[in-house]
Amino acid sequence: YDEAGLVVSTHQDQVWEAEIILPDVEKPLLVVYKPDSGMNKGTMKQAMENLPEDSSPASHKEVAAYLVSRELAKGEKTNPEENKLSIKDLVVPVVVREDLEYGKGSVRPYIWGQPLDRISDEEQDLLWKDRELLELIAGYDGVINMIDRRDANLIRLTRSENQPLKLIDHSLTFFDPVFSRLFIKSLKGPRLSVAYHNDQNPPALKESPLSSEWQNRLFYIVEHQEALRANLKNLLTEKEIDCIVINAQKMLEYGIY
C-alpha cells in the first residue's frame, strides 16, 4: 500500500511455454500455459494484497475475458469495407486445461511480437496516436474492470500488417468497483489515458465521451445479458457477471469511459 492507502500492483505469475499437437495439423502449436497454482509466484516474489476470497480462478477469468470480447463484438455495426478494428480481434483466445503438469490453468497461443515495455518510447508514441485503438482497449478494460493493464500484457505484433496489438493476461479482472478503486493508483495503459486525468494523484475520472461504436457494444451486452450470463455461468460467480452488466449500464448512463 502507498501512503494514501491505495494498493500498488506489482504481481507476476509463473508461465510456461510448450508445444501441443493438434489433429490434422502438421506442425506443433506453440502455446503459453499459466497454471492457477503459479499466480503471483513469478520472479517478483511479491503477492497481491487482499484479493477477494470469492474470486473465480485465474484461468476462468482468462477465458471469460475472451468470451466477453466476443459478446461485445456482436454489437459492432461497422461496414466491413471500412476495415475497422474489432475488439474480438485484439483479445487472444484462451482455454482451460486441467490435465497438464502443474494442474489446472489457462492455455493460449504464443503471440509473436514484443511487449510494449520492450519497445522504445518513440515507437509507443506512434502506436498510441491511433485514437480508435486507444478507445477500443480503454472501453474493454472498463467493462471487465481490468486492474493490471501493464505494457507487458500489450503485445505489438511482428507478423501482421493489419493489426497492431494483442491483449493478454486477464486474470486480474471482474472485481467489483469498490475493490477496483483500491488499485486506481496502479492504473496504466489506454484506460488511464482515455478515461482519467493522469496528472492527478490519484487519477480522477474525466468526461471522455463514448464513441458510437462503444455505445453499440455496450447496448448489446445489456440487451442480451441473459446470453452473456449463460456463457459465463461456469466460469465466474454471479456477482462477477453482475459487475460486467453494471459496468456496461453505467458507461451508457454517463456516456463516458
Side-chain angles (χ1 to χ4, degrees):
Y1 291 86
D2 68 357
E3 293 179 356
L6 299 172
V7 178
V8 179
S9 172
T10 57
H11 97 118
Q12 187 168 334
D13 303 328
Q14 289 178 339
V15 297
W16 306 88
E17 292 179 8
E19 290 185 342
I20 60 174
I21 304 297
L22 300 176
D24 302 321
V25 177
E26 183 177 344
K27 293 183 178 180
L29 176 67
L30 185 62
V31 299
V32 176
Y33 164 47
K34 185 160 69 170
D36 289 340
S37 60
M39 188 175 181
N40 301 323
K41 294 180 181 178
T43 57
M44 290 184 180
K45 303 297 183 183
Q46 181 175 350
M48 295 280 290
E49 296 283 351
N50 299 326
L51 290 181
E53 293 182 358
D54 58 348
S55 285
S56 295
S59 57
H60 286 202
K61 290 189 173 188
E62 296 274 10
V63 177
Y66 170 67
L67 294 178
V68 170
S69 75
R70 306 290 293 186
E71 288 299 306
L72 286 167
K74 292 177 182 179
E76 295 173 350
K77 299 180 180 180
T78 55
N79 186 335
E81 296 180 358
E82 294 177 348
N83 198 29
K84 284 195 172 185
L85 282 174
S86 169
I87 187 60
K88 70 180 180 181
D89 296 328
L90 293 186
V91 183
V92 178
V94 190
V95 298
V96 174
R97 288 283 296 269
E98 301 190 28
D99 57 342
L100 301 180
E101 183 174 357
Y102 297 100
K104 183 178 180 179
S106 62
V107 176
R108 64 165 175 82
Y110 180 87
I111 305 302
W112 296 96
Q114 288 181 304
L116 293 198
D117 59 359
R118 296 186 182 179
I119 69 174
S120 68
D121 292 341
E122 291 77 13
E123 289 175 296
Q124 287 199 39
D125 290 342
L126 182 62
L127 183 70
W128 294 134
K129 285 183 179 179
D130 186 341
R131 182 70 183 186
E132 179 189 354
L133 179 63
L134 268 174
E135 292 184 351
L136 193 58
I137 300 172
Y140 175 66
D141 284 351
V143 172
I144 65 174
N145 264 351
M146 173 65 160
I147 63 174
D148 188 40
R149 181 63 72 204
R150 297 170 291 142
D151 286 347
N153 56 42
L154 291 160
I155 309 297
R156 187 185 66 168
L157 303 183
T158 56
R159 298 187 177 183
S160 173
E161 297 180 357
N162 300 320
Q163 195 177 331
L165 288 176
K166 284 289 189 181
L167 313 182
I168 62 171
D169 294 350
H170 296 105
S171 59
L172 293 177
T173 47
F174 306 116
F175 299 113
D176 68 69
V178 174
F179 179 81
S180 299
R181 183 69 185 173
L182 293 173
F183 291 83
I184 192 67
K185 195 170 182 178
S186 294
L187 192 65
K188 299 178 179 70
R191 182 152 176 78
L192 175 62
S193 174
V194 171
Y196 288 85
H197 295 285
N198 57 15
D199 57 347
Q200 299 182 19
N201 187 17
L205 197 65
K206 64 182 178 183
E207 295 185 359
S208 294
L210 281 174
S211 67
S212 59
E213 290 88 351
W214 262 112
Q215 291 177 33
N216 291 336
R217 295 183 186 104
L218 297 171
F219 185 77
Y220 185 91
I221 284 284
V222 174
E223 288 297 297
H224 298 85
Q225 60 179 278
E226 293 308 315
L228 178 75
R229 293 178 186 278
N231 287 338
L232 301 180
K233 67 179 181 180
N234 294 325
L235 296 168
L236 302 179
T237 67
E238 185 175 353
K239 180 181 178 182
E240 289 168 337
I241 300 173
D242 286 343
C243 284
I244 300 170
V245 177
I246 292 171
N247 289 341
Q249 291 172 330
K250 290 297 183 183
M251 291 170 72
L252 281 172
E253 178 182 353
Y254 292 104
I256 60 176
Y257 292 92

